[in-house]
Each structure stands twice: as structure tokens, then as C-alpha cells.
């Protein structure tokens, strides 16, 4: 019996820990306790199986592994982006965006649904937190959609699906954790996920458009009395055209002497500040040059778009790392809230408290996962997983489909942190051995987790929406009538079309990996004058030290020394040449003579 347990300790450990997690035991403590318990069992049974490589001195490695977590700079992006999202949520940015974009698209059938999808994408690019997006849009948009006779399932499904965009649109916390666990750049993960995320947003909008054609009564346009800002399309197009013209002029003429990244940043800054300032002056002085709609759109949309560019633009352009981008985003969120006079000490303390709780939650799970993985690798669990996955039929495609099904099912029960810290490190070596690009693999898993957030009956987004959706009929003062409640069945059925869209998108990503792997072919733009200046300044100009004499014309060109750029001739029969033309020490062999 002991022999059987010793030779199958890896699957026993994996199944036991996963069962405890599914039952509902705390994740961090389950992982740590499971790792410690099976470490003791492994040490005691080590003599029965050569697959067990555990010993008591190995337990000391846990200390170093814990400190490695604390030294991981990449994980600093998590509290930064979380804090940014919480500040923006409490500054009522979602309310302003939904009201403005809802009126902008209000004349169209399905305009409110389009607004929810676009605001969901904007919130995802600024907050990166699913719960915040779903709850905010559920509280603000759902009553309005029901007031104007939207189909309950369509309204609920659109809000839940749009909220989960925070899983895949940078600066998603999921993508940060995936990049960390896969050992890849967070910036590459963001670049790889950007195009697929935009395609999903487009597919959501296409579905709403199809509904307006097939079932127009499900998504009516807003009545004129619900659009106090009016139309104002002409002045809106004029100011958008002006912003585009300012960017082109700045990029090609005003800032043409600057480097590419700096040119983009300054041109974008000019193209946003001037229209934004003009709109503020127009409102303050009541000049009347802009319509109410154009004025509101510019004042409400430009700050979050500028914040998105500040975070993602600087990361994509290579100006900032994701951690630095997160710090700038958190600072920008504070400035935006202060300018809108919506930041007080209570809001700040609440955001700091929630950020500290989430960061502590992540760190404890990581510590537990490190204890678990030390034991699991020590009992050859990684080889067991690898053999299991490589034995699947279909090669690379079979592996991806199988993993997608497993992650999809587990995502209905486990949080993405648990899946990322437990399963991803085990699956990554198999994917790499099969020749799968790990950025592509990480993006696939992110889309998979997004779909699992929507899947009945345990999708997390469904629970978030259920917690704020009206469970009883309620009286609406605006329309002077009773409005029906939102049933759980309506929430579940409303998300099914969006789940189908997600599955289709997964198939597209598997069939066309270039949608993600284009990050490899991104051109590296280098300015030769900057390179020459940097090289000429090495050793010179700093602290009064003389220049090193480095040059680009072969070798190092150090004064008073032989040129190290060309090898010397052999010193004799069988002799090895000395580097850089120097005489070979120690005789003909070119090796030291110890005689």
C-alpha cells in the first residue's frame, strides 16, 4: 500500500489540494498546508520511490522563495493599478461616462447597449477590475435600460459581458499575473492582448447591431426627453477633426526633431489639451461656440482617454515599464479626482484599505503557491503533468483545446489568482516544449478565464450583477409605472450569446496566432545620433573622468593598447592564438606555464 502511495504521490497531492479548494477552504492556507503536509509524507516515503527527491534540508529553500516574491518588481503593478481603479470608481467616472455616451448614441436603436459596451472597455482600460465594472454599470445602466423597455436578458447579459472585458483589456491584473507566472514581459503580454480584445469589443457591438435588426423591440432608441444634451453632431465632428489636425501638425512639423516616442506623446498631449481647454472655456464663459453634446463629450471623455494613453501609451511606446505605468496611472487618477472635487480623505482611505487587502491577498496566495510548488516539483509532479499533457492526441492543437476546457471548467469555481498561481506554472513547460509561444498561451488563458466569469451557474460576473440587480418590481418616478424585476434566469440566458462569442474568439485565436504574436515583429526604432551621443559620452562628462576612447570602427580602440578587434596568428604547431594580437603567455600553446 505504501509503495502504491509513494509511486502516485503527485496525483494524490494534486487531487487532494484541488478538492480542498473546491470545497471552499482558504486558498493561501490550503496551498501552504497541503505543501507542508505532503512534504513530510514525501520525506518519509522517499526511500520507496526514486521519483521523490525531498529531504529535510530542502525545506529551508522556502525562505528564499518567499523573499523572491517580495523582490519581484513586476508584482508592484498590481497595487498601483488596483488603487487607480478604486479611485476612479469612487470618483463616479463610470456614471459620467455612461450618461454622456448613452446620450451620444441615444438616437440609435440599441444605443444604451452600445454605450455600456464602450464604457465597459474604457473602464477596463482604466480600472482593470471586473467587480468594479460590473457593479458600477449594473447600478447605473440597468435601471435606465429597463426604464426604456430593453429586454431584461439583453440588458443583463450586455452589462455582465462588458464588465468582464477588464480581464483581457490592458492593464488587466490577469495579464500581469500571467506574464509573471509565464516568465514573460508584461509589456509584451499587453501588446499581444490588445488587438484580440478590440476584436471582442467589435463582436459584442456586432451582436447588439444584429439584435436591433432581428428584434428591434428588444433595444429601442432613447426618447427625446431622455436626451437633454440634444444632438450637436456638427460641432462634435468639428472639434474631433481639429484634434486630429493638431496631432498631425504636431507630429510632422512642430515636434519632428524629437524621437519617435517623444513626438507621439507631445503631439497627443497638444491634440487633447487644446480642445479640452477650449471646451472648459466655452462652458465657463458661456460662449456658445460648442453644442451641449460636444462640450460634454469633450469634457467627460478626454480625461479618461488621456489617462489610458498615459498608462498604456507609455508602455506600448517603451517609455515606461508596466510598474512605472501603473504608478503614473495612480497619480493621474488622484489628479483627476482632485480636479473634479470628488476626492476626500474618506474616499482615499477606503481605496488604500481595499488596495492593501488585495495586495496582501495576492502575496499570501503566492507564498502558499511557492510552498505547494516546492513539494510538487520535489515529488516529480511536473513530470507527471508533462507526461499527461503530452500524451493527449492532436499535438499542439489538442493540448490547447484540452487546457482551454480544463481552465474553462475550473474558472467557474476558482478565482483567476488561484488558477494562475497553481496551474499555469505546471502547464507552461509543456506549452514551451510543444513550441507554443507563451505570450499567445497567456492571452488564450486570459480569454478563457473571461468566458468562465460569464458561465452559469457559478460565473463570478453573474453573482456581481445579481447582487445589484432589482429582485422585486420597483416604481419608476420618471415614467410613473412599475418595472419588473430582473430574474436570475434572465441574467443566465442573457449571457449565453456572449459566451458563444467568447468561444468563437478562442477558436480564432487558436487558428490565427498572429493576432497575438505580432508583438515579435514590432519594429525597433533607433535614432543613430542618440546612439552615437550615448557612446561618445561613456566615461566622459561624468564626475570629471576622462573618456574611455570607445569607437564604432572595429575593436575598442583603447589608446596605448593593441587593437582587440582582430585575432592574432597561431603561435605555433597546435598553438592557440591569444586574444587581440597579444603575445601568447606560457609558451607555444597560449596557456599559462605552471612549471
Amino acid at each position: 500500500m505504501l509503495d502504491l502511495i509513494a509511486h502516485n504521490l503527485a496525483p494524490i497531492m494534486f487531487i487532494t489540494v484541488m478538492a480542498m479548494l473546491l470545497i471552499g477552504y482558504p486558498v493561501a492556507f490550503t496551498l501552504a498546508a497541503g505543501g507542508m503536509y505532503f512534504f513530510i509524507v514525501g520525506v518519509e516515503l522517499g526511500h520507496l520511490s526514486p521519483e521523490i527527491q525531498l529531504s529535510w534540508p530542502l525545506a529551508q529553500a522556502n525562505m528564499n522563495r518567499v523573499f523572491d516574491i517580495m523582490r519581484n518588481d513586476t508584482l508592484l503593478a498590481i497595487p498601483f493599478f488596483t488603487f487607480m481603479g478604486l479611485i476612479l470608481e469612487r470618483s463616479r467616472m463610470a456614471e459620467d461616462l455612461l450618461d454622456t455616451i448613452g446620450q451620444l448614441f441615444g438616437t440609435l436603436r440599441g444605443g444604451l447597449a452600445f454605450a455600456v459596451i464602450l464604457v465597459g472597455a474604457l473602464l477596463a482600460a482604466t480600472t482593470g477590475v471586473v467587480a468594479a465594472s460590473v457593479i458600477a454599470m449594473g447600478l447605473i445602466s440597468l435601471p435606465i435600460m429597463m426604464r426604456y423597455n430593453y429586454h431584461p436578458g439583453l440588458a443583463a447579459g450586455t452589462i455582465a459581458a462588458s464588465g468582464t472585458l477588464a480581464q483581457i483589456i490592458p492593464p488587466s491584473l490577469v495579464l500581469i499575473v500571467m506574464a509573471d507566472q509565464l516568465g514573460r514581459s508584461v509589456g509584451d503580454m499587453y501588446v499581444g492582448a490588445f488587438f484580440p480584445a478590440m476584436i471582442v469589443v467589435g463582436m459584442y457591438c456586432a451582436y447588439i447591431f444584429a439584435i436591433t435588426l432581428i428584434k428591434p423591440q428588444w433595444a429601442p432608441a432613447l426618447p427625446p426627453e431622455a436626451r437633454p444634451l440634444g444632438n450637436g453632431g456638427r460641432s462634435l465632428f468639428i472639434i474631433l477633426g481639429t484634434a486630429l489636425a493638431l496631432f498631425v501638425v504636431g507630429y510632422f512639423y512642430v515636434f519632428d526633431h524629437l524621437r519617435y516616442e517623444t513626438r507621439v506623446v507631445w503631439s497627443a498631449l497638444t491634440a487633447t489639451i487644446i480642445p479640452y481647454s477650449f471646451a472648459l472655456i466655452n462652458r465657463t464663459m458661456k460662449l456658445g461656440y460648442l453644442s451641449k453634446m460636444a462640450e460634454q463629450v469633450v469634457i467627460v471623455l478626454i480625461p479618461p482617454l488621456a489617462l489610458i494613453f498615459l498608462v498604456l501609451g507609455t508602455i506600448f511606446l517603451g517609455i515606461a515599464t508596466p510598474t512605472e505605468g501603473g504608478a503614473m496611472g495612480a497619480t493621474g487618477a488622484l489628479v483627476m479626482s482632485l480636479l473634479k472635487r470628488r476626492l476626500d480623505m474618506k474616499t482615499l482611505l477606503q481605496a488604500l484599505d481595499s488596495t492593501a487587502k488585495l495586495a496582501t491577498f495576492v502575496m499570501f496566495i503566492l507564498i502558499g503557491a511557492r510552498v505547494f510548488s516546492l513539494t510538487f516539483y520535489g515529488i516529480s509532479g511536473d513530470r507527471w503533468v508533462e507526461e499527461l499533457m503530452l500524451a493527449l492526441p492532436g499535438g499542439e492543437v489538442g493540448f490547447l483545446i484540452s487546457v482551454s476546457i480544463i481552465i474553462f471548467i475550473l474558472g467557474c469555481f476558482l478565482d483567476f489568482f488561484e488558477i494562475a498561481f497553481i496551474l499555469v506554472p505546471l502547464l507552461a513547460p509543456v506549452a514551451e516544449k510543444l513550441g507554443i509561444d507563451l505570450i499567445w498561451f497567456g492571452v488564450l488563458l486570459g480569454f478563457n478565464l473571461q468566458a468562465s466569469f460569464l458561465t452559469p451557474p457559478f460565473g463570478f460576473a453573474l453573482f456581481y450583477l445579481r447582487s445589484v440587480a432589482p429582485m422585486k418590481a420597483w416604481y419608476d418616478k420618471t415614467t410613473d409605472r412599475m418595472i419588473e424585476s430582473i430574474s436570475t434566469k434572465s441574467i443566465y440566458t442573457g449571457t449565453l450569446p456572449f459566451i458563444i462569442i467568447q468561444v468563437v474568439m478562442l477558436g480564432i485565436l487558436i487558428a490565427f496566432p498572429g493576432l497575438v504574436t505580432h508583438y515579435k515583429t514590432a519594429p525597433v526604432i533607433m535614432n543613430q545620433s542618440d546612439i552615437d551621443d550615448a557612446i561618445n559620452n561613456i566615461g566622459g562628462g561624468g564626475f570629471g573622468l576622462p573618456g574611455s576612447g570607445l569607437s564604432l570602427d572595429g575593436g575598442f580602440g583603447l589608446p596605448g593598447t593593441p587593437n582587440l578587434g582582430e585575432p592574432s596568428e597561431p603561435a605555433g604547431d597546435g598553438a592557440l592564438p591569444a586574444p587581440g594580437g597579444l603575445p601568447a603567455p606560457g609558451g607555444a600553446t597560449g596557456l599559462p606555464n605552471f612549471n
Side-chain angles (χ1 to χ4, degrees), residues 381-418:
D382 55 325
R383 280 187 286 173
W384 169 69
V385 172
E386 183 177 317
E387 291 171 0
L388 190 66
M389 292 289 106
L390 292 177
L392 293 170
E396 178 184 305
V397 176
F399 169 77
L400 291 174
I401 293 174
S402 301
V403 168
S404 297
I405 294 172
I406 293 170
I407 297 295
F408 183 83
I409 294 172
L410 289 177
C412 298
F413 303 95
L414 302 178
D415 192 68
F416 77 87
F417 283 119
E418 302 159 21

Coordinates of all heavy atoms in Angstrom, one line a residue, residues 381-418:
G381 N 6.0 16.0 -9.6 CA 4.7 16.3 -10.1 C 4.7 17.0 -11.5 O 3.8 16.8 -12.3
D382 N 5.8 17.8 -11.7 CA 5.9 18.5 -13.0 C 6.0 17.5 -14.2 O 5.4 17.6 -15.2 CB 7.0 19.4 -13.0 CG 8.3 18.8 -12.7 OD1 8.3 17.9 -11.8 OD2 9.4 19.2 -13.2
R383 N 6.8 16.4 -13.9 CA 6.9 15.3 -15.0 C 5.6 14.6 -15.2 O 5.3 14.2 -16.3 CB 8.0 14.4 -14.6 CG 9.4 14.9 -14.9 CD 10.5 13.9 -14.7 NE 10.8 13.7 -13.3 CZ 11.6 12.8 -12.8 NH1 12.2 11.9 -13.6 NH2 11.8 12.7 -11.5
W384 N 4.9 14.4 -14.1 CA 3.6 13.7 -14.2 C 2.6 14.5 -15.1 O 2.0 14.0 -16.0 CB 3.0 13.5 -12.8 CG 1.6 13.1 -12.8 CD1 1.1 11.8 -13.3 CD2 0.4 13.8 -12.4 NE1 -0.3 11.8 -13.2 CE2 -0.7 13.0 -12.7 CE3 0.2 15.1 -11.9 CZ2 -2.0 13.4 -12.4 CZ3 -1.0 15.5 -11.6 CH2 -2.2 14.7 -11.8
V385 N 2.6 15.9 -14.8 CA 1.7 16.7 -15.6 C 2.2 16.8 -17.1 O 1.4 16.7 -18.0 CB 1.7 18.2 -15.0 CG1 1.0 19.1 -15.9 CG2 1.0 18.2 -13.6
E386 N 3.5 16.9 -17.3 CA 4.0 16.9 -18.6 C 3.7 15.6 -19.4 O 3.3 15.7 -20.6 CB 5.5 17.1 -18.5 CG 6.2 17.3 -19.9 CD 7.7 17.5 -19.7 OE1 8.1 18.3 -18.9 OE2 8.5 16.9 -20.5
E387 N 3.9 14.5 -18.8 CA 3.6 13.2 -19.5 C 2.1 13.1 -19.8 O 1.7 12.6 -20.8 CB 4.1 12.0 -18.6 CG 5.6 11.9 -18.5 CD 6.0 10.9 -17.5 OE1 5.1 10.3 -16.8 OE2 7.2 10.7 -17.2
L388 N 1.3 13.6 -18.8 CA -0.2 13.5 -19.0 C -0.6 14.4 -20.2 O -1.4 14.0 -21.0 CB -0.9 14.0 -17.7 CG -2.4 13.8 -17.6 CD1 -2.7 12.3 -17.6 CD2 -2.9 14.5 -16.4
M389 N 0.0 15.6 -20.3 CA -0.4 16.6 -21.3 C 0.1 16.2 -22.7 O -0.5 16.3 -23.7 CB 0.0 18.0 -21.0 CG -0.6 18.6 -19.8 SD -2.4 19.1 -20.1 CE -3.2 17.8 -19.2
L390 N 1.4 15.7 -22.7 CA 2.0 15.3 -24.0 C 1.3 14.0 -24.5 O 1.4 13.8 -25.8 CB 3.5 15.1 -23.8 CG 4.3 16.3 -23.5 CD1 5.8 15.9 -23.3 CD2 4.2 17.3 -24.6
A391 N 0.7 13.2 -23.7 CA 0.0 12.0 -24.2 C -1.3 12.3 -24.8 O -1.9 11.4 -25.4 CB -0.2 11.1 -23.0
L392 N -1.8 13.6 -24.8 CA -3.1 13.9 -25.4 C -3.0 13.9 -26.9 O -1.9 14.3 -27.5 CB -3.5 15.3 -24.9 CG -3.9 15.5 -23.5 CD1 -4.0 17.0 -23.2 CD2 -5.1 14.8 -23.1
P393 N -4.0 13.4 -27.6 CA -3.9 13.4 -29.0 C -4.1 14.8 -29.6 O -4.6 15.7 -29.0 CB -5.2 12.5 -29.4 CG -6.1 12.7 -28.3 CD -5.3 12.8 -27.0
G394 N -3.5 14.9 -30.8 CA -3.7 16.2 -31.5 C -2.6 17.2 -31.4 O -2.6 18.2 -32.0
G395 N -1.5 16.8 -30.7 CA -0.3 17.6 -30.6 C -0.6 19.0 -30.0 O -1.3 19.1 -29.0
E396 N -0.2 20.1 -30.6 CA -0.3 21.4 -30.1 C -1.8 21.8 -30.0 O -2.2 22.3 -29.0 CB 0.5 22.4 -31.1 CG 0.4 23.8 -30.7 CD 1.0 24.7 -31.7 OE1 2.2 24.5 -32.0 OE2 0.4 25.6 -32.2
V397 N -2.5 21.6 -31.1 CA -4.0 22.0 -31.0 C -4.7 21.2 -30.0 O -5.6 21.7 -29.2 CB -4.6 21.8 -32.4 CG1 -6.1 22.1 -32.4 CG2 -3.9 22.7 -33.4
G398 N -4.4 19.9 -29.9 CA -5.1 19.0 -28.9 C -4.8 19.5 -27.5 O -5.7 19.5 -26.6
F399 N -3.5 19.9 -27.2 CA -3.1 20.4 -25.9 C -3.9 21.7 -25.6 O -4.4 21.9 -24.5 CB -1.6 20.7 -25.9 CG -1.1 21.4 -24.7 CD1 -1.0 20.8 -23.5 CD2 -0.8 22.8 -24.8 CE1 -0.6 21.6 -22.4 CE2 -0.4 23.5 -23.8 CZ -0.2 22.9 -22.5
L400 N -4.0 22.6 -26.6 CA -4.6 23.9 -26.4 C -6.1 23.7 -26.1 O -6.7 24.4 -25.2 CB -4.4 24.8 -27.6 CG -3.0 25.4 -27.8 CD1 -2.9 26.2 -29.1 CD2 -2.6 26.2 -26.6
I401 N -6.8 22.9 -26.8 CA -8.2 22.6 -26.6 C -8.4 22.0 -25.3 O -9.4 22.4 -24.5 CB -8.8 21.7 -27.8 CG1 -8.7 22.5 -29.1 CG2 -10.2 21.3 -27.5 CD1 -9.1 21.7 -30.3
S402 N -7.6 21.0 -24.9 CA -7.8 20.3 -23.6 C -7.6 21.3 -22.5 O -8.4 21.3 -21.5 CB -6.8 19.2 -23.5 OG -7.0 18.2 -24.5
V403 N -6.5 22.1 -22.6 CA -6.3 23.1 -21.5 C -7.4 24.1 -21.4 O -7.8 24.5 -20.3 CB -4.9 23.8 -21.7 CG1 -4.7 25.0 -20.8 CG2 -3.8 22.8 -21.5
S404 N -7.9 24.5 -22.6 CA -9.0 25.5 -22.6 C -10.2 25.0 -21.9 O -10.9 25.7 -21.1 CB -9.3 25.9 -24.0 OG -8.3 26.5 -24.7
I405 N -10.5 23.7 -22.1 CA -11.7 23.1 -21.5 C -11.5 23.0 -19.9 O -12.4 23.3 -19.1 CB -12.0 21.7 -22.0 CG1 -12.4 21.8 -23.5 CG2 -13.0 20.9 -21.2 CD1 -12.5 20.5 -24.2
I406 N -10.2 22.6 -19.5 CA -9.9 22.4 -18.1 C -10.0 23.8 -17.4 O -10.7 23.9 -16.3 CB -8.5 21.8 -17.9 CG1 -8.5 20.4 -18.4 CG2 -8.1 21.9 -16.4 CD1 -7.2 19.7 -18.5
I407 N -9.4 24.8 -18.0 CA -9.4 26.1 -17.4 C -10.8 26.7 -17.4 O -11.2 27.4 -16.4 CB -8.4 27.1 -18.2 CG1 -7.0 26.6 -18.1 CG2 -8.5 28.5 -17.6 CD1 -6.4 26.6 -16.7
F408 N -11.6 26.5 -18.4 CA -12.9 27.0 -18.5 C -13.8 26.4 -17.4 O -14.5 27.1 -16.7 CB -13.5 26.6 -19.9 CG -14.9 27.1 -20.1 CD1 -15.1 28.4 -20.5 CD2 -16.0 26.3 -19.9 CE1 -16.4 28.9 -20.7 CE2 -17.3 26.8 -20.1 CZ -17.5 28.1 -20.5
I409 N -13.6 25.1 -17.1 CA -14.4 24.5 -16.1 C -14.0 25.0 -14.7 O -14.8 25.3 -13.8 CB -14.3 22.9 -16.2 CG1 -15.0 22.5 -17.5 CG2 -15.0 22.3 -15.0 CD1 -14.8 21.0 -17.8
L410 N -12.7 25.0 -14.5 CA -12.1 25.4 -13.2 C -12.4 26.9 -12.9 O -12.6 27.3 -11.8 CB -10.6 25.1 -13.1 CG -10.2 23.6 -13.0 CD1 -8.7 23.5 -12.9 CD2 -10.8 23.0 -11.7
G411 N -12.5 27.7 -14.0 CA -12.7 29.1 -13.8 C -14.1 29.4 -13.3 O -14.4 30.5 -12.8
C412 N -15.0 28.4 -13.4 CA -16.4 28.6 -12.9 C -16.4 28.4 -11.3 O -17.3 28.9 -10.7 CB -17.3 27.6 -13.5 SG -17.5 27.7 -15.3
F413 N -15.3 27.8 -10.8 CA -15.3 27.5 -9.4 C -14.2 28.3 -8.6 O -14.3 28.6 -7.5 CB -15.1 26.0 -9.1 CG -16.2 25.2 -9.8 CD1 -16.0 24.6 -11.0 CD2 -17.4 25.0 -9.2 CE1 -16.9 23.8 -11.6 CE2 -18.4 24.2 -9.8 CZ -18.1 23.6 -11.0
L414 N -13.1 28.5 -9.3 CA -11.9 29.1 -8.7 C -11.6 30.5 -9.2 O -11.9 30.8 -10.4 CB -10.6 28.2 -8.9 CG -10.7 26.8 -8.4 CD1 -9.4 26.0 -8.8 CD2 -10.9 26.7 -6.9
D415 N -11.1 31.4 -8.4 CA -10.7 32.7 -8.8 C -9.4 32.6 -9.8 O -8.7 31.6 -9.7 CB -10.3 33.5 -7.6 CG -10.2 35.0 -8.0 OD1 -11.2 35.6 -8.3 OD2 -9.1 35.5 -7.9
F416 N -9.3 33.6 -10.6 CA -8.2 33.5 -11.6 C -6.8 33.5 -10.9 O -5.8 33.0 -11.4 CB -8.3 34.7 -12.6 CG -7.8 36.0 -12.1 CD1 -6.5 36.4 -12.2 CD2 -8.7 36.9 -11.6 CE1 -6.1 37.6 -11.8 CE2 -8.3 38.2 -11.2 CZ -7.0 38.5 -11.3
F417 N -6.7 34.1 -9.7 CA -5.4 34.1 -9.0 C -5.0 32.7 -8.6 O -3.9 32.3 -8.8 CB -5.5 34.9 -7.7 CG -5.4 36.4 -7.9 CD1 -6.5 37.2 -7.5 CD2 -4.3 37.0 -8.5 CE1 -6.4 38.6 -7.7 CE2 -4.3 38.4 -8.6 CZ -5.3 39.2 -8.2
E418 N -6.0 31.9 -8.2 CA -5.7 30.5 -7.8 C -5.3 29.7 -9.1 O -4.3 28.9 -9.0 CB -7.0 29.9 -7.2 CG -7.5 30.6 -6.0 CD -8.9 30.4 -5.7 OE1 -9.4 29.3 -6.2 OE2 -9.6 31.2 -5.0

